[in-house]
Amino acid sequence: MKNEMLNLRRFFRNRFERLIDHNDADGSGTGDGSAIGLAEVCELLANDDESFPRNYDHDLRRFCGHEASIWFREERSYGDVARLVICLLEAGSNGNTRPTGFWVSKVLHCDSPIIHMRSVESFNWERNNVER
């Protein structure tokens, strides 16, 4: 089982690099001898709590775009990156080039004040508790 997880993480890193460098959402050109696709390996690693290597920080900064600072708030895992990639792939399958809005915060479940201010629950609470 341990070797299988090590291989899955290696396959994921290879496909993630291919996604970043060549915008290859399938990951088929990695040349690592595995036929597993990026989406499939992401699903398998979505709950993996192993720390993601820090040498990918530059790639993740580019990947997260305007929300890059969210990524660096704490140590992140393979599962975190896998869920971000899943979100990107889902946006692509819906005809978008990238997810919109505060997608990194949403995927990583960050407790950002701006997210709270824009949430429907916050709006309803404020509307119901405003002094008249």
Side-chain angles (χ1 to χ4, degrees), residues 68-118:
S69 62
I70 300 295
W71 175 263
F72 295 103
R73 286 186 181 171
E74 60 187 71
E75 189 73 23
R76 299 295 181 184
S77 67
Y78 277 89
D80 293 330
V81 182
R83 289 190 304 277
L84 289 173
V85 172
I86 288 169
C87 186
L88 178 78
L89 295 176
E90 287 174 352
S93 69
N94 292 330
N96 300 318
T97 55
R98 296 189 61 78
T100 58
F102 296 100
W103 68 282
V104 174
S105 298
K106 183 178 178 183
V107 170
L108 298 177
H109 306 291
C110 293
D111 196 19
S112 170
I114 192 84
I115 297 294
H116 175 70
M117 290 186 322
R118 293 177 181 220

Side-chain angles (χ1 to χ4, degrees), residues 18-39:
R18 185 89 180 154
L19 175 67
I20 295 296
D21 295 339
H22 303 287
N23 201 25
D24 181 6
D26 179 47
S28 57
T30 59
D32 59 14
S34 175
I36 192 169
L38 180 60

